[in-house]
Amino acid sequence: MALGKDPGQEAKLTSTLLTVAITVSFGTWFAMGYLMVALNGLQFTIVNWIRAVKCQRLAGVTFQRTNDSTSLDLWCRRYEPNGESNILAENSELNIIWAVSSSVITVGGLLATFTCTSLVPRLGRKGSLFFTSGLYITGTVMFASSKWAASFELLIAGRFIVGCSMAYICVVAPLYITDLTSPRLRGSVGTIPVIFYDVGLVLGTSFSLPMLLGTDDGWPFLILIPCLPALALCLALPFFPDSPRSLLVNQDNEKARAALVWLRRTPDVDEELAAIQSSIDNEVKDHTSVIRFFRTPFLRSTFLICFVAMVSQQFSGYQCIVFYSTSIFNSVGLTQNHAVYATTGLWITLLCCTLLSSALMEKLGRRMLILGGNFFEGLSLALLVIFMAMTKQGHEWTKNVSVACLFTFVASYGMGPITVPWILPTELFNAQSSATAMTWTAVTSWAAALLSTFIFPVVVSRAEEYTFIIFIGILLLSSVFLYFRQPETKGRSAEAVQAALRRGKRL
């Protein structure tokens, strides 16, 4: 057998494995992507609803848009559509409520991520998925019900709980899918969650259009839609197998063999079972704690690769485009409705490129996809800065070129940087350490997202289009590091990759 190869390498992508990966991804990452953008174009719809609630509490009347131009107070005053941009500027308390409502989902995600290292070993992969789905459904129902309960506090609480569930989604779903997949297929199968995340972005943006559910009365139903795939996952999980590795750890050899036979659709699984058992026997028996993880120089230095890959993803500028895509399109001259349509086009582009990267993952490898993606991301942002500056100088033709730069950036992001950082922790670490590595990779992701959410509006108000130069610098530095440190992991077991890293050999 060739060095670094795994008996499971010869396994084919079966219908059962594909069904599990699609169902889990649809119930978790789709739901996450959908809610991340569902309210992206409905800022003033939600802001006006918050004003209506506050107005009713203070004045005992229901806020309505009438032709009465009498100035009441900040909460009950009527604004014309072309004056809605002044609502937040003139009401500091409303601005705070909106800022908290917008960011609390990221805060919940960051805080909950720290509990993943204790939750996953205690509940197991499938148990953690049950818990995550239940938490997501609870938070989403609270979020949507806030409209009918006339309580923006319920909206904030619901979004916080949804954020907590998203933290578990980022960690648990990839771990479960990876546990069921052979090394040769982990790259292509590992992109399935991200593909469904992209589908969620597309549908979340599309359904929020004014002619669908993007209305004063429709937005609660817009929020409830992703509960359906989460509920479907809960119903399907009892029919899915536990991780064969986990079953072998618990010395349940018969169930482990039955699970592998079901996943591979062949009784010829003895060699793969023996390889899994051998890797378990070679591991230290106790669970790798967080303290021990970071005190171990090899684990710490290996995690640094995951950390830098995730930093390059989160500080590429993509997060700011997710949260501010509509306003960015407005800034280059598109109307509000056209900006929403353009944003929908962005997510369709991202979906198509992620599908393409899934097909290329096992051919080109992780290194080429992430490094190539980072290069074209940086190039797109550099051109975007130039053309946005030219637009401000009166060159009208540059507006369309700026939009093209956004699409090029998103296409580059979908070709590797969106997926590879989530795959690396499952391929650079063995099963004993992968949960901790994935947890702290998710911590990095949520912390960077929170930092971007708060810092971007402040920086962009001063630096404007030159803000993206910061992201270009981060992409450059992180890419240089990854070029020298990131190994190629395609088709190799985590044990083989770690053995090569310990010898100082770059695969």
Side-chain angles (χ1 to χ4, degrees), residues 197-369:
Y197 176 82
D198 296 343
V199 174
L201 294 178
V202 173
L203 293 185
T205 305
S206 301
F207 288 163
S208 67
L209 292 171
M211 68 283 296
L212 295 176
L213 296 174
T215 62
D216 291 341
D217 295 323
W219 68 263
F221 300 102
L222 174 72
I223 300 305
L224 288 173
I225 287 177
C227 284
L228 297 178
L231 181 61
L233 175 59
C234 291
L235 296 176
L237 272 175
F239 300 98
F240 293 160
D242 287 307
S243 160
R245 175 181 286 272
S246 300
L247 292 170
L248 285 177
V249 168
N250 294 328
Q251 299 183 344
D252 200 339
N253 294 6
E254 289 302 317
K255 284 188 177 181
R257 191 179 194 284
L260 211 53
V261 168
W262 187 84
L263 289 165
R264 305 294 182 255
R265 308 304 292 169
T266 176
D268 186 18
V269 296
D270 293 332
E271 190 176 1
E272 186 173 358
L273 273 176
I276 297 173
Q277 185 64 60
S278 175
S279 68
I280 293 172
D281 293 339
N282 291 330
E283 292 174 359
V284 181
K285 300 303 179 183
D286 58 327
H287 174 66
T288 303
S289 66
V290 174
I291 295 177
R292 180 183 171 188
F293 183 89
F294 284 106
R295 281 183 175 176
T296 305
F298 173 74
L299 295 179
R300 188 171 63 244
S301 64
T302 303
F303 174 74
L304 186 60
I305 299 172
C306 301
F307 174 81
V308 173
M310 185 56 73
V311 166
S312 73
Q313 182 201 80
Q314 292 296 323
F315 287 107
S316 64
Y318 170 77
Q319 281 295 336
C320 297
I321 290 176
V322 168
F323 286 105
Y324 302 99
S325 57
T326 303
S327 61
I328 288 175
F329 281 124
N330 287 148
S331 70
V332 298
L334 296 183
T335 64
Q336 182 68 19
N337 283 341
H338 288 159
V340 174
Y341 297 144
T343 301
T344 305
L346 274 183
W347 308 145
I348 293 175
T349 301
L350 181 63
L351 172 60
C352 293
C353 290
T354 307
L355 286 169
L356 181 59
S357 74
S358 178
L360 296 176
M361 188 68 70
E362 298 302 336
K363 294 181 179 180
L364 299 182
R366 286 60 157 158
R367 275 174 52 82
M368 181 173 290
L369 287 179

Side-chain angles (χ1 to χ4, degrees), residues 356-418:
L356 181 59
S357 74
S358 178
L360 296 176
M361 188 68 70
E362 298 302 336
K363 294 181 179 180
L364 299 182
R366 286 60 157 158
R367 275 174 52 82
M368 181 173 290
L369 287 179
I370 191 172
L371 292 175
N374 284 351
F375 172 79
F376 285 105
E377 280 178 324
L379 180 61
S380 301
L381 289 180
L383 294 174
L384 178 64
V385 170
I386 294 171
F387 288 118
M388 287 183 71
M390 292 177 66
T391 299
K392 292 178 66 176
Q393 295 174 2
H395 300 279
E396 292 294 320
W397 64 272
T398 58
K399 292 181 179 180
N400 293 330
V401 183
S402 296
V403 171
C405 290
L406 284 181
F407 277 87
T408 305
F409 171 86
V410 169
S412 304
Y413 183 78
M415 286 302 297
I418 191 175

Side-chain angles (χ1 to χ4, degrees), residues 460-494:
V460 79
S461 65
R462 298 177 179 273
E464 298 181 336
E465 64 273 7
Y466 300 104
T467 302
F468 290 105
I469 294 177
I470 299 173
F471 300 127
I472 295 171
I474 294 173
L475 282 171
L476 176 62
L477 293 175
S478 59
S479 296
V480 171
F481 176 89
L482 292 174
Y483 177 81
F484 289 103
R485 288 293 309 277
Q486 181 188 334
E488 181 52 69
T489 59
K490 68 174 182 177
R492 294 179 171 86
S493 66

